Amino acid sequence: MSADPLHRAGMPQRSKTSPPPSGSAASAIEVRRSARRRRTVSAYREGDRTVVLIPARMSEAEEQRWVNVMLDKLAAQESRRALGDSELAERAERLSAQYFAGRARPASVRWVTNQNTRWGSCTPAEGSIRLSHRLQGMPEYVVDYVLLHELAHLLVPGHGPDFWRLLEAYPRTERARGYLEGVVAAARLPHLPGVPGE
């Protein structure tokens, strides 16, 4: 334990503010260490900075790893807030125009929280498309692929050769499918023992 009175009292210790990794929404990252914080890590935006709160005992390597994890989590949260049902419907309309000459015209497109075993679903008779909330925060090309998959069902109900021919127009189909397969596989992996906050 440090002889520093602020550290002993459990007051937060601040590390140097640093520039963010490329692609981050904030202009600087401030890491605040606290002796009171034992296991948890949290982060929030404060103006143009991202503040990451970590236990004082963490090594520099753990700090960097957790900063990256928390930046990803904040970006995912902000993405979820930014893309509502109306934006999702607009995206579906744009994708239909780009890849299916506007032929796939859904009556409704929305996020749902009751699909835990599927990424999306379509009811062609109603023209409704539903995407699992688990997609929120995933890369845009993955969400676009799932939207296109469901839009294609408005044109071809099953998963036969005609259906897959439609999806060949989207250049990131295989990449998106690989990403989703990776997410499913990772969910089956056991958590590593002794990793705080996981």
Side-chain angles (χ1 to χ4, degrees):
M1 175 81 71
S2 168
D4 176 24
L6 289 177
H7 190 241
R8 268 200 325 266
M11 297 296 289
Q13 295 180 327
R14 295 181 186 217
S15 72
K16 181 171 85 172
T17 300
S18 59
S22 62
S24 175
S27 63
I29 300 165
E30 181 180 335
V31 178
R32 296 180 186 169
R33 292 176 172 263
S34 171
R36 285 186 180 168
R37 190 174 284 270
R38 297 282 182 225
R39 297 177 54 111
T40 61
V41 176
S42 61
Y44 60 92
R45 303 280 192 214
E46 187 176 83
D48 66 346
R49 291 180 302 163
T50 300
V51 178
V52 181
L53 307 170
I54 65 171
R57 65 172 174 72
M58 273 194 182
S59 69
E60 291 293 320
E62 288 176 309
E63 174 183 319
Q64 188 56 52
R65 182 177 84 81
W66 278 105
V67 165
N68 290 333
V69 166
M70 298 313 290
L71 287 174
D72 288 345
K73 284 187 177 185
L74 283 174
Q77 289 170 355
E78 290 163 355
S79 174
R80 281 194 293 274
R81 283 195 295 268
L83 191 61
D85 289 349
S86 61
E87 292 90 358
L88 196 61
E90 289 170 13
R91 197 167 179 172
E93 185 178 331
R94 186 184 80 244
L95 289 167
S96 176
Q98 184 175 357
Y99 294 101
F100 303 145
R103 294 181 298 131
R105 294 188 183 106
S108 68
V109 182
R110 61 190 174 93
W111 296 109
V112 294
T113 58
N114 63 350
Q115 289 188 7
N116 294 316
T117 60
R118 294 188 288 181
W119 297 113
S121 62
C122 175
T123 307
E126 298 173 4
S128 62
I129 292 174
R130 294 157 307 278
L131 295 191
S132 172
H133 71 287
R134 296 177 304 138
L135 288 165
Q136 294 173 325
M138 288 189 186
E140 281 188 18
Y141 74 91
V142 175
V143 176
D144 285 352
Y145 164 73
V146 176
L147 268 174
L148 280 165
H149 184 107
E150 302 310 332
L151 285 165
H153 279 308
L154 294 175
L155 303 173
V156 180
H159 287 105
D162 291 340
F163 174 84
W164 293 110
R165 265 193 292 281
L166 283 172
L167 286 179
E168 285 175 2
Y170 184 57
R172 294 179 142 188
T173 291
E174 289 306 313
R175 184 175 178 194
R177 290 183 72 189
Y179 183 97
L180 293 171
E181 288 170 5
V183 169
V184 170
R188 293 182 186 138
L189 292 175
H191 293 289
L192 296 174
V195 178
E198 290 190 347

